[in-house]
Amino acid sequence: MVMKPLFKRVTDTLSKWYLAIASILLVCFLNALLIHLFHLQIHQRGMQFVQQVSLLSEAERTDDKLDTLARQFNLQYVSLGPQRISQMNDLDVFEFANVTLYVKHPKVLQEYASTLLMFNLLFVGLIVFAYRWWLIYQVRPKSFLRQSHRALPVERETVLPSIQQPRSTDESLFNIFALIKWSYHLGESIDAQQHFSIQFQKHFSGYATCSVKYLNSGALAVTIEQVAWGDVSAVSKKMHEVVYQILFAIRGDLSRKVVKLGGCYYQSKSDQTQVYQLARSALSVATNNVWQHIHLTPLNKTHEITMQSSESDFIKYIENGQFILFFQPLFCFATQEITQSEALLRVRHEKLGLIAAKQFVPQLHSKESLWTLDTFIVEHTFKVLDKDKSHLLASVNIHTINWCDPKFANWLLSKLEQSKLANRVLFEMTLDDFCQQRVLLEDIVFKLDIVGTGLVLDQVSESFNVKDLKHIKCIKALKLSFDLVHNIDESHTQQKVVRHIVRQGKQLGLPVYAVGVETQTELQCLQRLGVKGAQGYYFSEPLQQLELAGY
């Protein structure tokens, strides 16, 4: 397993070297051909010069006359005096009609230097254009009709994980409910409901029930009944693989990390609401994890009790102060210093331990819970900044529902005015949420700019419409999404997207930052692409010392 990616990397490197060597040889061959043609042109001028001399009489063939005539052909006539015999090796001889002349001419590289330079630039440009066109051609979107025929071999058992038939009926059987989501738009030409239903029926026909529903949110809800306990994990892996192979047949440059599966396995007669909530939480865990694309959660009596009181429990933990506020520093490449830090919430759960906000925020549905969460984070961050003497600039994430609530906006503005920390705090919001709710956010955005604070738009995963942000002064920076940054040094597609986003950021006068940087190669690639700063475990883990300074 380790040698396979290493072998692939070595072969890719060798193929690039072979391509570079072939390009150099091609340019050398074309240059040799051009030089040969220029030599032929010089020879033709010499023959024309001799022909002109043959038409002159013997009396007219003086050295001055011949030298003047030679210059008309960009040549230099050389007389055959005794003093010139030693220079015969540097002369060219031309004969015509019993007339023999010795001439000199400039070197080919001197006479045609500008022409050779122009043609070399043209050759190199054509080679680069052909190489980039080939890269784009390899990752081009394939038409669905063409790919449907090529995808047929995918259905072979050698491609997908093998699934054993359910065991005997005396063993405990479970139902699996899975939510599958991917970061790719299928397009209106594909009937997702029918297409996925057909494929799942083919691969899971051995089970009692296999129902598939394509949700309006873009996720796929799949239910498979009567699965043996020992086959639950294998069935979930096969569901993930089936969806990936379907998407791969439509677009050949996708990787498995774009498909995330969250599922719940349960016995019959269970509460379907709890099953859906567990599957949704599992999908959130898988989405926020880089390496884990599948996450399954069982539904038992303990989980039933936990799910019934999960939202109120988390809010109770926050109200009782059972949480810690970490700060993830963001480093500027130019100054090599911390330019700002992102506040990250960790809640101490009595059963699950220290958990991140991303793991339980999807379970918060009421406005009251979201209000409590964001107000506590803002107030606690202000306390830390008020007692911190290093003039730290911190950024705080606030839920979109609260941004659109005028009551919360007024509360936030009053807190900023009372604390006098507007110049030391920024607020983060996803780019998609900002663009979708731009009309509702016009008033709060205008007031944030007046009090002296601003917004950082994060989760930027693709290019956007510059006009949507051009006249909004309170936006201070853009943050790339983790999926776009992870393994960017190995993906030309991700590099192209980041380069375009950086170009758009320059048009708006906004710096572009990266999150989740884990390796030096990722860092170096981001610096070459024009990213101004980054945060991640490559630089530092989230720091708790700043939070402790608030006590």
Side-chain angles (χ1 to χ4, degrees), residues 364-427:
L364 304 182
H365 306 291
S366 65
K367 290 185 177 180
E368 293 76 14
S369 298
L370 295 173
W371 172 282
T372 302
L373 173 66
D374 287 344
T375 52
F376 267 77
I377 293 177
V378 171
E379 290 177 346
H380 199 74
T381 303
F382 283 3
K383 290 179 181 179
V384 174
L385 294 178
D386 185 53
K387 293 190 176 183
D388 179 64
K389 304 303 181 182
S390 62
H391 300 287
L392 167 73
L393 178 63
S395 61
V396 182
N397 288 277
I398 295 179
H399 200 278
T400 308
I401 292 179
N402 286 328
W403 278 119
C404 299
D405 186 0
K407 180 181 177 182
F408 181 87
N410 293 331
W411 175 87
L412 180 62
L413 293 171
S414 64
K415 283 291 182 181
L416 287 170
E417 293 177 355
Q418 294 173 7
S419 63
K420 298 181 181 179
L421 295 170
N423 61 339
R424 295 185 58 194
V425 65
L426 297 172
F427 300 97

Side-chain angles (χ1 to χ4, degrees), residues 241-310:
E241 185 69 15
V242 168
V243 174
Y244 166 71
Q245 293 292 352
I246 294 173
L247 296 175
F248 183 80
I250 299 174
R251 180 168 175 176
D253 63 331
L254 295 180
S255 62
R256 284 178 173 81
K257 70 179 181 179
V258 304
V259 181
K260 298 292 185 179
L261 184 148
C264 173
Y265 57 96
Y266 58 97
Q267 293 181 330
S268 58
K269 299 182 180 180
S270 297
D271 188 350
Q272 294 301 311
T273 302
Q274 297 174 7
V275 171
Y276 176 78
Q277 290 177 343
L278 270 181
R280 183 178 174 182
S281 299
L283 178 62
S284 176
V285 173
T287 303
N288 295 324
N289 196 299
V290 181
W291 307 109
Q292 183 182 5
H293 309 319
I294 302 171
H295 186 79
L296 292 178
T297 303
L299 176 61
N300 49 36
K301 195 64 179 177
T302 303
H303 278 90
E304 290 182 16
I305 298 173
T306 303
M307 290 301 296
Q308 290 173 359
S309 59
S310 60

Side-chain angles (χ1 to χ4, degrees), residues 46-61 65-66 69 73 94-101:
M47 292 303 299
Q48 291 175 356
F49 169 58
V50 176
Q51 291 176 8
Q52 291 289 334
V53 173
S54 65
L55 299 177
L56 299 176
S57 61
E58 291 292 339
E60 293 177 336
R61 296 179 187 176
K65 181 68 174 180
L66 295 180
L69 188 60
F73 295 94
F94 294 96
E95 297 181 358
F96 182 79
N98 298 324
V99 177
T100 303
L101 298 176

Side-chain angles (χ1 to χ4, degrees), residues 140-152 155 184-199 202 245-252:
R140 73 194 187 283
K142 281 80 173 178
S143 62
F144 175 72
L145 293 177
R146 290 176 58 190
Q147 287 299 321
S148 60
H149 298 290
R150 296 176 60 185
L152 291 178
E155 299 176 7
Y184 171 67
H185 182 64
L186 291 177
E188 300 179 355
S189 60
I190 301 176
D191 187 350
Q193 174 65 45
Q194 181 180 5
H195 187 61
F196 282 103
S197 298
I198 294 174
Q199 295 296 328
K202 288 182 179 180
Q245 293 292 352
I246 294 173
L247 296 175
F248 183 80
I250 299 174
R251 180 168 175 176

